[in-house]
């Protein structure tokens, strides 16, 4: 296929034209713009000062918009893991995304996502993933501790309400970094619809977050996982993302708990199961420094006092600082105790190792000893006689083995079937496996696992599979069997951690009884195959591939081989071809407990190997190793049975060999003697070498060859050593003319060279001077702004903070500054409710939020509040509301009020629709400027938007007095001109005395003032008004009554509810909910019902104007003396006409005739109207036809005129060309 691929057409570069000319000038070093500026400077001058000023202002605005308020960098040297919260509606792919990201970073698969999952993602960064469920409590809690939010959106469905709810929660509690992730994109079959959906979702997401917010697309799933490349790109963005510190997080210590232990006394639990518990909580400390014995709040539980705090070794530590680009497999750590992941668990006084199920025999009840020797003795089920009966004997190196089965059962069937019961953990049932056996009884079913399911130790799994068989053959055959077994184990065994075999060509592949390093005991299945090849090539193979390329750690070389291995090398290489079939037959022959033999010898060999573990440099550089010639060893065999032992010839490594990169200790040399030191003295640079290799001789030849040189920038001429010596000799012998002539010729050549390069030198100096001036002007020219000075000052402060306790150990630092962020701490808390432990659910986050000394108190809070524009109901005063303020979630009763122009805070019955109002509550003291949000209920998921209101804390005291309007009503019972006696407003004289001087009004608008109380009736008073009152007037007093804030603080204890009911917390209900739940219908107050208003008509007296006043009034205002209308005289009244019968008949006939006439006229009018309508339709058709004819005529006329113009234009052009 590669040969048939069509070659693509290459791009042809332009050889001419303006673009090609610019490229040529650029290659030659010229600049078209600079030439144009020199040629025509006015063209590049300022054309408009106003436009230039606008451009400058715009550039400065853009530059200043990028500035943030600089903060002191309080990030510790080892920062805590970054909290990544994965949010989204149900079934959108949150758990799948977390599993894919964990697999991308750590190469490990995680089943159920329970609690925080901490991983090492890079050399300096760790990540903690936390899944956020649809519960509003979980969303609120995780929004307060999140550093990065991955917001999953189902593209096939669109935005859901949970997405906008979480965005609004984040806006209130400090906006963390948010990245959107679109899933279910594979449900779109049409690319056009997919692009349109992506665009709409992206712009809506930008509207809520900010313009240009990152939105990732996960196109589809492969085998239940997202595509690896897309997950890798998402992981890269997460790994390099920078975070701006949030105010609340940086000012409060907090811990996202990843492990919980109950420390309550078991005896106390037995006597009182519902007693308060003592619990230790573990997690990384974040935020700021934590003091011991402080107060913390656990959202969903309450406030508690910390009993004790300790810092523990980091269970998911960052890798050591080394110059490398990637992490190796050991450093890709995963720590998730709540999910059952993380092998080592650190406690205050102990370390617990969590073994997988494959390492624990659940069927074994007795306690097994930890010593391998005792354990192997206990596990031995066969006696020595049985082992002898099952043993095999081989007399010669090339002969076949003899076993009792061949003699006792020569007629055994070939290829028989056997049954083997195997427990399948995937299907959770017992399966019957067919085992195919060969003639020798070998198991060739392809499975090397025994029935116990890896219950024994890995050493016994490698070497003790067939404990009933014991090999008594020669050492040479042992080597072959062990080598073959190791190769088979590498290819067939499942990928579990087990001690690797030290594979070398011709060496015995025994498990090292004393490991030189952890690599001897922990090597993956993939590395074992590479190790075998490396061993055969002469490399040790003890180091993984990453350690060779990145870590640069020492590898284990072959070293000095044991005496038995050296003697067996030649024989194995000679007999490999003819013994290959025997090796395959002997792969299954294993010895039971070979590792116990020669422990002392193996320990000494391991020590020598460790001392000689020097990397094979030739192997690293050239990829090959020179093998020693073993042809002489073939001649030293006697009859194929014995070999002559010659240690000096069997030594493969010589000091003067071609590959002498590895040093092997040689005790034959005594380096204390002067003769041995002199023998290697010339091997160093200071020694006496040959003339062709001596360093001093070569340097002298270089100076004679190249001579002196000149520094082109400074013009200084440097003479060589030989020239200086010649000058010295000339000074001593002034009579030597030849030397003087040579010196003068050299000097003349140098002067000519300086003259030729003078121009270039000056140009370079000018260019350097310009660059230096520009740098000085930018650096020292006063461009440093206040922003730069502030940044520099804060940078110095951060360096000072780090340097203060830099060299102090952690124990001492904790006593002075407290527990710093990034430490893995253990907090012991007593008096926790028992429901916290019994109803513990790892899917819900546990947060320990530190409180300052004042935040533990409860008092009056003044806040500014606004009903959320998406909440479909207004809020009512005195209805209980659940607030999220600081770390806490609690229920309280707010009073809404608004400030009037005179500073009075007037109580509101309902919140305004589209504006802010004040609110007063009784709750925990929280710093001013802290944001909060309010919800009406946290039970279940509502169909509508759940966030009712948002706001901010304004004040922390009771300085604001909320007042309520109160109208007192009275009625006048005596009226004396402008003075009236009023009753019914007060009940006692004392009440009247309190309101003396208060202003009153009547409904008709007459204003007055309370003067003095009357003795009778009780509560009556005298008041004076602007005008005389009527007995029908109503007098009212408008007063303001102070309202007290209800003292309700009810923490939301959702974590104490049973598992599965944690989202159903219900506190105090509103009055409307109570009436609805209890089925109560209040009878309305009769006075509150609307009634039809019946007003009696009032008769007012005539306005009396005195005569003196009438004289002074103008004419138009004077009352006119009009005569009232009298009755009409009878003679002027029209008499009634009474017709006679004949007249009646005539009038009736005329009426009938007129009716007939009018009907006839109406009918004729209708006919005429129809005819006229038809006429108009015909007229319209004629008009349309006429317009069409006119249009066609105009088209013809315009066409002819256009052709005539074209003809004239062509003729004029021809005439012009002839003239030219």
């Amino acid at each position: 296929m590669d040969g048939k691929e069509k070659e693509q057409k290459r791009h042809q570069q332009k050889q001419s034209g303006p673009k090609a000319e610019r490229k040529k000038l650029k290659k030659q070093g010229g600049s078209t713009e600079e030439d144009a500026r020199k040629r025509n400077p006015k063209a590049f001058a300022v054309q408009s000062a106003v436009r230039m000023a606008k451009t400058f202002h715009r550039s400065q605005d853009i530059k200043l918009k990028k500035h943030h308020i600089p903060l002191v960098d309080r990030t510790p040297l080892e920062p805590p893991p970054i909290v990544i919260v994965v949010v989204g509606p149900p079934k959108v792919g949150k758990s799948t995304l977390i599993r894919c990201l964990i697999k991308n970073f750590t190469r490990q698969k995680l089943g159920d996502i329970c609690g925080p999952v901490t991983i090492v993602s890079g050399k300096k960064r760790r990540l903690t993933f936390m899944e956020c469920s649809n519960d509003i409590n979980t969303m609120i809690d995780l929004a307060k501790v999140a550093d990065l939010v991955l917001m999953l959106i189902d593209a096939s469905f669109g935005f859901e309400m949970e997405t906008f709810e979480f965005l609004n929660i984040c806006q209130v509690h400090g906006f963390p970094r948010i990245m959107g992730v679109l899933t279910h994109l594979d449900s779109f079959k049409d690319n056009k619809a997919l692009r349109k959906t992506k665009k709409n979702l992206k712009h809506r997401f930008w509207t809520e977050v900010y313009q240009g917010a990152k939105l990732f697309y996960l196109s589809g799933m492969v085998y239940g996982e997202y595509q690896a490349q897309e997950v890798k790109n998402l992981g890269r963005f997460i790994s390099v993302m920078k975070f701006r510190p949030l105010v609340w997080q940086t000012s409060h210590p907090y811990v996202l708990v990843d492990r919980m232990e109950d420390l309550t006394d078991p005896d106390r639990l037995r006597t009182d199961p519902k007693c308060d518990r003592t619990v230790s909580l573990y997690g990384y400390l974040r935020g700021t420094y934590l003091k011991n014995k402080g107060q913390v709040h656990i959202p969903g539980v309450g406030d508690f006092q910390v009993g004790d705090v300790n810092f523990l070794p980091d269970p998911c530590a960052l890798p050591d600082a080394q110059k490398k680009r990637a992490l190796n497999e050991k450093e890709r750590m995963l720590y998730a105790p709540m999910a059952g992941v993380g092998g080592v668990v650190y406690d205050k006084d102990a370390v617990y190792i969590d073994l997988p199920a494959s390492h624990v025999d659940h069927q074994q009840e007795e306690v097994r000893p930890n010593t391998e020797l005792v354990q192997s003795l206990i596990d031995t089920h066969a006696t020595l006689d049985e082992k002898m009966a099952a043993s095999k004997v081989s007399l010669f190196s090339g002969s076949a083995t003899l076993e009792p089965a061949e003699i006792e059962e020569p007629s055994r069937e070939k290829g028989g079937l056997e049954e083997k019961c195997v427990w399948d953990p995937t299907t959770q049932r017992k399966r019957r496996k067919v085992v195919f056996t060969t003639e020798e009884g070998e198991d060739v079913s392809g499975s090397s696992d025994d029935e116990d399911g890896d219950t024994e130790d890995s050493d016994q799994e490698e070497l003790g599979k067939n404990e009933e068989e014991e090999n008594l053959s020669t050492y040479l055959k042992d080597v072959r069997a062990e080598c073959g077994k190791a190769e088979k184990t590498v290819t067939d065994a499942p990928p579990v951690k087990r001690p690797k075999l030290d594979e070398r060509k011709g060496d015995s592949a025994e498990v090292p009884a004393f490991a030189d390093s952890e690599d001897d005991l922990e090597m993956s299945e993939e590395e074992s195959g590479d190790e075998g090849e490396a061993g055969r090539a002469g490399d040790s193979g003890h180091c993984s591939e990453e350690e060779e390329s990145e870590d640069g750690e020492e590898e284990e070389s072959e070293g000095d081989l044991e005496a038995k291995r050296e003697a067996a090398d030649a024989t194995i290489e000679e007999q490999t071809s003819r013994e290959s079939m025997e090796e395959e037959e002997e792969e299954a022959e294993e010895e039971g407990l070979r590792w116990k033999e020669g422990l002392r010898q193996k320990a000494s060999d391991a020590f020598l190997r460790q001392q000689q573990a020097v990397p094979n440099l030739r192997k690293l550089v050239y990829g090959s190793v020179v093998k020693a010639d073993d042809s002489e060893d073939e001649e030293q065999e006697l009859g194929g049975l014995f070999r002559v032992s010659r240690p000096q010839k069997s030594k493969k490594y010589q000091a003067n060999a071609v590959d002498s990169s590895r040093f092997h200790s040689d005790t034959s040399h005594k380096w204390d003697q002067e003769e041995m030191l002199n023998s290697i003295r010339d091997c160093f640079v200071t020694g006496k070498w040959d003339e062709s290799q001596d360093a001093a001789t070569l340097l002298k030849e270089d100076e004679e060859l190249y001579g002196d040189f000149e520094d082109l920038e400074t013009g200084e001429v440097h003479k060589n050593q030989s020239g200086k010596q010649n000058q010295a000799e000339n000074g001593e012998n002034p009579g030597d003319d030849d030397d003087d002539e040579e010196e003068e010729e050299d000097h003349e050549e140098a002067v000519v060279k300086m003259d030729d390069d003078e121009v270039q030198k000056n140009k370079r100096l000018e260019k350097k001077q310009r660059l230096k001036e520009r740098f000085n002007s930018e650096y020292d020219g006063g461009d440093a702004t206040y922003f730069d000075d502030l940044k520099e000052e804060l940078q110095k402060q951060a360096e000072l903070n780090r340097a203060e306790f830099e060299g102090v150990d952690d124990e001492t630092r904790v006593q002075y500054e407290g527990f710093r962020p990034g430490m893995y701490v253990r907090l012991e808390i007593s008096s926790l409710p028992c429901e916290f432990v019994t109803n513990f659910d790892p899917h819900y986050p546990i947060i320990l939020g530190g409180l300052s000394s004042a935040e533990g108190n409860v008092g009056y809070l003044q806040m500014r509040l606004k009903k959320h524009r998406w909440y479909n109901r207004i809020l009512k005063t005195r209805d209980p509301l659940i607030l999220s303020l600081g770390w806490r979630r609690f229920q309280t009763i707010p009073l809404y009020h608004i400030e009037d122009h005179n500073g009075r805070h007037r109580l509101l019955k309902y919140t305004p629709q589209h504006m802010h109002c004040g609110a007063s509550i009784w709750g925990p003291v929280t710093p001013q400027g802290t944001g909060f949000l309010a919800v009406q209920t946290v039970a279940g998921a509502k169909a509508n938007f759940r966030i009712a209101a948002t706001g901010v804390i304004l004040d922390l005291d009771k300085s604001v007095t909320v007042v309520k309007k109160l109208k007192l009503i009275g009625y006048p019972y005596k009226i004396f001109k402008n003075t009236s006696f009023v009753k019914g407003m007060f009940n006692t004289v004392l009440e009247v005395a309190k309101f003396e001087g208060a202003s009153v009004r009547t409904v008709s608008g007459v204003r007055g003032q309370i003067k003095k109380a009357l003795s009778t009736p009780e509560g009556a008073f005298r008041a004076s008004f602007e005008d005389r009152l009527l007995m029908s007037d109503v007098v009212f007093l408008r007063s303001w009554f102070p309202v007290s804030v209800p003292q309700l603080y009810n923490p939301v204890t959702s974590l104490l509810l049973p598992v599965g009911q944690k989202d159903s917390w219900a506190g105090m209900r509103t009055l409307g909910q109570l009436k609805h739940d209890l089925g109560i219908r209040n009878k309305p107050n009769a006075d509150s019902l609307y009634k039809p208003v019946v007003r009696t008509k009032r008769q007012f007296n005539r306005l009396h104007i005195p005569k003196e006043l009438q004289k002074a009034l103008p004419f138009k205002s004077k009352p006119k003396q009009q005569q009232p209308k009298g009755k009409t005289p009878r003679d002027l009244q029209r008499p009634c006409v009474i017709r006679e019968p004949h007249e009646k008949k005539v009038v009736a006939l005329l009426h009938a005739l007129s009716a007939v006439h009018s009907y006839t006229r109406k009918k004729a009018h209708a006919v005429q109207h129809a005819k006229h309508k038809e006429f108009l339709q015909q007229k319209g058709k004629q008009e349309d036809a006429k317009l069409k004819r006119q249009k066609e005529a105009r088209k013809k006329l315009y066409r002819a005129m256009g052709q005539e113009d074209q003809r004239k234009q062509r003729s004029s052009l021809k005439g012009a060309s002839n003239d030219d």
Side-chain angles (χ1 to χ4, degrees), residues 489-554:
T489 305
V490 168
T491 56
D492 297 340
V496 297
K497 276 192 174 182
R498 60 184 62 183
K500 284 293 172 184
L501 303 180
D502 187 14
E503 295 183 11
R504 294 182 180 88
K505 186 172 182 181
D507 296 349
S508 67
E510 294 180 352
V511 177
F514 299 92
D516 298 342
S517 64
E518 292 180 4
D519 294 335
D520 290 341
L521 297 176
E522 296 178 349
M523 297 179 69
S524 62
E525 175 190 12
E526 299 167 357
E527 293 168 351
S528 61
D530 301 335
E531 184 187 1
E533 297 176 3
R536 284 188 290 274
D539 196 10
S540 65
H542 273 282
C543 216
S544 64
E545 187 173 328
E546 292 175 350
E547 286 171 336
E548 287 179 2
S549 59
E550 298 163 359
D551 293 350
E553 297 176 354
E554 290 188 356

Side-chain angles (χ1 to χ4, degrees), residues 146-217:
D147 298 317
L148 171 64
V149 176
L150 295 181
M151 192 158 284
L152 269 67
I153 303 162
D154 187 352
S156 62
F157 185 82
F159 283 106
E160 298 183 51
M161 201 61 77
E162 289 84 357
T163 303
F164 292 106
E165 286 173 352
F166 195 85
L167 280 172
N168 282 272
I169 293 170
C170 291
Q171 287 172 353
V172 170
H173 292 300
F175 212 70
R177 295 296 298 270
I178 292 183
M179 290 171 56
V181 180
L182 289 185
T183 60
H184 295 78
L185 292 175
D186 49 352
S187 60
F188 290 92
K189 305 301 180 187
D190 185 11
N191 284 333
K192 188 175 181 181
L194 177 61
R195 287 196 303 270
K196 189 175 181 181
T197 304
K198 281 183 180 179
K199 184 178 178 182
N200 293 338
L201 293 177
K202 179 178 69 174
H203 286 287
R204 189 67 185 86
F205 186 71
W206 285 2
T207 304
E208 290 299 319
V209 185
Y210 62 88
Q211 291 295 319
K214 191 63 183 174
L215 192 65
F216 265 87
Y217 307 118

Side-chain angles (χ1 to χ4, degrees), residues 421-460:
C421 292
V422 179
W423 176 259
D424 190 358
T426 58
T427 58
Q428 296 295 320
R429 64 188 181 92
K430 187 177 289 187
R431 308 183 71 173
R432 300 163 59 197
K433 184 174 183 178
V434 178
V435 179
F436 299 91
T437 57
T438 58
E439 182 177 351
E440 289 79 18
E442 292 180 303
D443 184 0
V444 294
S445 60
S447 174
S448 62
D449 295 332
D450 50 345
E451 297 176 8
D452 293 337
D454 297 338
T455 59
E456 297 182 358
D457 206 9
S458 55
D459 287 352
Q460 309 230 350

Side-chain angles (χ1 to χ4, degrees), residues 3-35:
K4 295 181 181 179
E5 284 184 0
K6 187 177 180 181
E7 188 173 340
Q8 300 242 350
K9 187 178 179 182
R10 294 184 179 179
H11 173 67
Q12 294 182 355
Q13 294 185 350
K14 287 190 175 184
Q15 303 297 329
S16 62
K19 195 171 181 181
E21 293 294 333
R22 284 198 301 270
K23 284 188 176 181
K24 287 179 183 178
L25 282 173
K26 194 173 181 181
K27 286 182 179 179
Q28 294 173 2
S31 176
T32 55
E33 187 175 351
E34 290 183 2
D35 295 342

Side-chain angles (χ1 to χ4, degrees), residues 729-746:
E729 291 173 3
N730 293 337
E732 293 174 0
N733 302 318
D736 196 349
D737 298 331
D738 297 333
D739 294 337
D740 294 336
E741 291 175 1
E742 291 176 3
E743 183 179 351
E744 289 175 2
E745 290 175 1
D746 294 340

Side-chain angles (χ1 to χ4, degrees), residues 67-134:
H67 288 175
H68 294 283
I69 300 175
L71 301 173
V72 179
D73 185 14
R74 303 185 187 277
T75 308
L77 294 178
E78 285 195 10
I82 294 165
V83 180
I84 300 177
V85 178
V86 183
V87 188
K91 302 295 181 184
V92 79
K94 300 188 289 293
S95 302
T96 307
L97 180 61
I98 294 177
R99 279 193 286 267
C100 292
L101 285 171
I102 292 172
K103 185 179 178 183
N104 173 63
F105 283 118
T106 64
R107 314 288 191 268
Q108 299 183 42
K109 290 186 177 180
L110 195 61
D112 188 17
I113 308 295
C114 292
V117 180
T118 304
I119 62 172
V120 177
S121 64
K123 293 182 291 184
K124 295 182 180 180
R125 178 162 289 190
R126 294 170 292 182
L127 308 176
T128 296
F129 291 97
M130 188 71 195
E131 182 180 351
C132 181
S133 62
N134 196 26

Side-chain angles (χ1 to χ4, degrees), residues 557-586:
S557 63
E558 292 179 3
D560 290 337
L561 304 177
E562 290 85 2
K564 294 182 180 180
R565 293 179 179 175
E566 291 173 356
D569 278 342
T571 309
I572 291 174
E573 291 177 359
E574 178 186 358
Q575 297 177 354
T576 299
S577 58
R578 60 188 176 87
E579 292 178 357
S580 59
M581 296 299 295
E582 295 176 5
E583 289 179 353
E584 293 177 1
E585 294 175 358
E586 293 165 1

